[in-house]
Amino acid sequence: MKQLLLYVLVTCAVLLSTGGSRGQQLPAPGPAKKPGWWQETVVYQLYPRSFQDSNGDGIGDLRGIMARLDYLQSLGVGTIWLNPIYASPNDDNGYDISDYRQIMPEFGTMQDFEALLRGMHERGLKLVMDLVVNHSSEEHEWFKQSRSSRQSPYRNYYYWWPAEKGTPPARYSTFDVSRNAWQYDSLTNAYYLHYFSVKQPDLNWNNPALRQEVYSLMRFWLDKGIDGFRMDAFQFVAKDPTFPPMPGLNETNYINAYNHGPRLHDYLQEMNREVLSKYNIMTVAEGAGRNPTEAMLFVDPARRELNMTYHFEAVGVGNTPERYQLTDLKRVFTRWDSAFAQKGWQSIYLGSHDQPRMVSKFGDDRPAFRAASAKLLNTFLLTMRGTPYCYNGDELGMTNSRFASIADYRDVAALNGYQLVKAQGGSLPAYLQSLQRFSRDNSRTPFQWDASTNAGFTTGTPWINVNPNYTPVNRAAQEKQPDSVLNHFRQAQRLRQQHRVLVHGQYQLLDAANPNIYAYTRTLGPARVLVVLNFSASPQSWGVPAGLAPSGQPWLNNYPTLAAGPFLALQPWQAVVLPLH
Ligand code: TEU
Ligand code: CA
């Protein structure tokens, strides 16, 4: 099982030590400074391929998104992060880019993009684009040139190892069918490096010409008016071009080993000087740093690099064969919060296009508990310090798709993992079972708009099957129910906008050892709130600590009532936000 997990885990779940503060004694917040807009926004991550198809080809597109702008605005979120929409042969759903300045024809045209950006700005929504520059597609013109000859001016845009030097020192790849990150290319008798699939050759950041190309394409989009970048796999971009042997490197530790290569921060500081500092934008690096200390290097304002990062440790807590322990989740979130209490900023998320659905993993997606637990998780995301990220569909409590057959999967990670298990004579049924829990395709199924065919996503055949639970779980039904997951999300998000304490307030964990209840306070000057979350399917009684007397009605409650007193009697998955005296 452990071995199988490795094939399917699609996170950079860095294996972090468990040390660090338990957060009981937190330092006072730093001096008041005008916050950046990116601290006070809520980000909605939108997976364009699965959001809304406008022309019946079964693939979501920009005009589809445009048709849903009023819905996005109705959520109250401030920023939309679009997964890649650039030209791509789609080996890895757009994370393999063949032209950074073109829109993928399946998604639309540059005119469509410009209209979409205008439409968002008119509604007060900001737009953040994915920036995928650890690697390109093998179909990018740079790579075609690079591969054509050892003399090509583009040769050093990528990493090549001449075969006359022998086999290159071992490097592992995340998606490769044999896990080898070196691919032999007979045209020039050399190997090229690919940390991801064989069709995603790694770009050579040691080459200043390549870096200038990246800065130039960043300006291209920023000058169109976009509001920032989510920087894909950025912790991997820095590499020692001599590729020294890495003793002890293996299939489980390579992600850590590749993190934080030489000159990574030189590149970021250069990028900041040349590009980022010239715009009022949001920048977030994916997976940056193996621990909070390393992550701080990216976001310490004095270093002039990025605004925030997001780590994998919390989502990694749920990626275990057994169900996760709430105490682990609390420890991880608390440790990261305390590391950023004085300076820097972080992202808060539980789901993404690389993760299974948050309600299936951290909540309870059985019909009796799905809605309550989804509301609880949204309460959590929207009451933590940091910028919350809502992955599209999580505002409805969409669940894992749990496909039965490999033919239903589309993700290169799942398909190549299957080939690998097969080649090694492993158990394919066991692999399929693990995909039902961990595959990235669980969260990539079409958005569930209504109860019509294909959930209102397309009039054609969807590129990936719709989750069959779309008849009970869809947006149209939830619009009609005042207490739906959707309306609760809107309420929670409004609450965050109204109360700065929920954005900037100091976080203090309570009752750290409680295996069922996640409780914390947020404090900003005189403003103080208590958040109590019952992460279990059974009723729980929780004794309110002395000095934390709630005043008045809950600000937010996912049940109609709360039995309060010296003990809170919490219903299954009940989540309450209580103002304090
Ligand atoms: O992910 C990079 C990353 O390291 C992981 O979270 C990734 O899912 C895992 O290593 C692959 O199993 C980013 C994107 O979010 C992901 O969708 C892309 O597939 C990947 O980069 C390559 O571009
Ligand atoms: Ca389409």
mmCIF file of all heavy atoms in Angstrom, residues 53-61 106, ligand 2:
data_model
loop_
_atom_site.group_PDB
_atom_site.id
_atom_site.type_symbol
_atom_site.label_atom_id
_atom_site.label_comp_id
_atom_site.label_asym_id
_atom_site.label_seq_id
_atom_site.Cartn_x
_atom_site.Cartn_y
_atom_site.Cartn_z
ATOM 1 N N ASP A 53 -18.621 24.481 -20.390
ATOM 2 C CA ASP A 53 -18.406 24.378 -21.836
ATOM 3 C C ASP A 53 -19.431 25.267 -22.535
ATOM 4 O O ASP A 53 -20.613 25.241 -22.192
ATOM 5 C CB ASP A 53 -18.580 22.914 -22.246
ATOM 6 C CG ASP A 53 -18.440 22.719 -23.744
ATOM 7 O OD1 ASP A 53 -17.822 23.587 -24.407
ATOM 8 O OD2 ASP A 53 -18.947 21.694 -24.256
ATOM 9 N N SER A 54 -18.974 26.049 -23.520
ATOM 10 C CA SER A 54 -19.927 26.936 -24.200
ATOM 11 C C SER A 54 -20.275 26.472 -25.608
ATOM 12 O O SER A 54 -21.210 26.983 -26.213
ATOM 13 C CB SER A 54 -19.360 28.363 -24.279
ATOM 14 O OG SER A 54 -18.313 28.425 -25.228
ATOM 15 N N ASN A 55 -19.521 25.517 -26.165
ATOM 16 C CA ASN A 55 -19.774 25.174 -27.575
ATOM 17 C C ASN A 55 -20.011 23.691 -27.826
ATOM 18 O O ASN A 55 -19.928 23.224 -28.949
ATOM 19 C CB ASN A 55 -18.613 25.670 -28.451
ATOM 20 C CG ASN A 55 -17.306 24.988 -28.082
ATOM 21 O OD1 ASN A 55 -17.236 24.279 -27.065
ATOM 22 N ND2 ASN A 55 -16.287 25.170 -28.895
ATOM 23 N N GLY A 56 -20.258 22.938 -26.767
ATOM 24 C CA GLY A 56 -20.673 21.547 -26.950
ATOM 25 C C GLY A 56 -19.562 20.571 -27.302
ATOM 26 O O GLY A 56 -19.837 19.424 -27.650
ATOM 27 N N ASP A 57 -18.293 20.998 -27.196
ATOM 28 C CA ASP A 57 -17.231 20.023 -27.487
ATOM 29 C C ASP A 57 -16.811 19.232 -26.239
ATOM 30 O O ASP A 57 -15.880 18.435 -26.292
ATOM 31 C CB ASP A 57 -16.011 20.701 -28.141
ATOM 32 C CG ASP A 57 -15.296 21.655 -27.197
ATOM 33 O OD1 ASP A 57 -15.780 21.861 -26.052
ATOM 34 O OD2 ASP A 57 -14.241 22.195 -27.590
ATOM 35 N N GLY A 58 -17.491 19.483 -25.143
ATOM 36 C CA GLY A 58 -17.209 18.685 -23.935
ATOM 37 C C GLY A 58 -16.075 19.224 -23.090
ATOM 38 O O GLY A 58 -15.708 18.636 -22.071
ATOM 39 N N ILE A 59 -15.507 20.365 -23.528
ATOM 40 C CA ILE A 59 -14.367 20.946 -22.817
ATOM 41 C C ILE A 59 -14.734 22.350 -22.349
ATOM 42 O O ILE A 59 -15.204 23.178 -23.146
ATOM 43 C CB ILE A 59 -13.138 20.998 -23.751
ATOM 44 C CG1 ILE A 59 -12.757 19.575 -24.155
ATOM 45 C CG2 ILE A 59 -11.968 21.728 -23.097
ATOM 46 C CD1 ILE A 59 -11.702 19.500 -25.230
ATOM 47 N N GLY A 60 -14.514 22.602 -21.093
ATOM 48 C CA GLY A 60 -14.778 23.936 -20.560
ATOM 49 C C GLY A 60 -13.949 24.970 -21.307
ATOM 50 O O GLY A 60 -12.896 24.656 -21.856
ATOM 51 N N ASP A 61 -14.413 26.217 -21.354
ATOM 52 C CA ASP A 61 -13.698 27.227 -22.138
ATOM 53 C C ASP A 61 -13.936 28.632 -21.571
ATOM 54 O O ASP A 61 -14.711 28.809 -20.631
ATOM 55 C CB ASP A 61 -14.116 27.150 -23.622
ATOM 56 C CG ASP A 61 -15.631 27.050 -23.769
ATOM 57 O OD1 ASP A 61 -16.336 27.877 -23.163
ATOM 58 O OD2 ASP A 61 -16.118 26.125 -24.469
ATOM 59 N N GLU A 106 -8.687 25.201 -27.727
ATOM 60 C CA GLU A 106 -9.883 24.589 -27.118
ATOM 61 C C GLU A 106 -10.564 25.544 -26.129
ATOM 62 O O GLU A 106 -11.754 25.434 -25.878
ATOM 63 C CB GLU A 106 -9.489 23.334 -26.323
ATOM 64 C CG GLU A 106 -9.155 22.137 -27.184
ATOM 65 C CD GLU A 106 -8.569 21.004 -26.345
ATOM 66 O OE1 GLU A 106 -8.001 21.267 -25.263
ATOM 67 O OE2 GLU A 106 -8.687 19.855 -26.789
HETATM 68 CA CA CA B 2 -15.747 24.047 -25.239
#
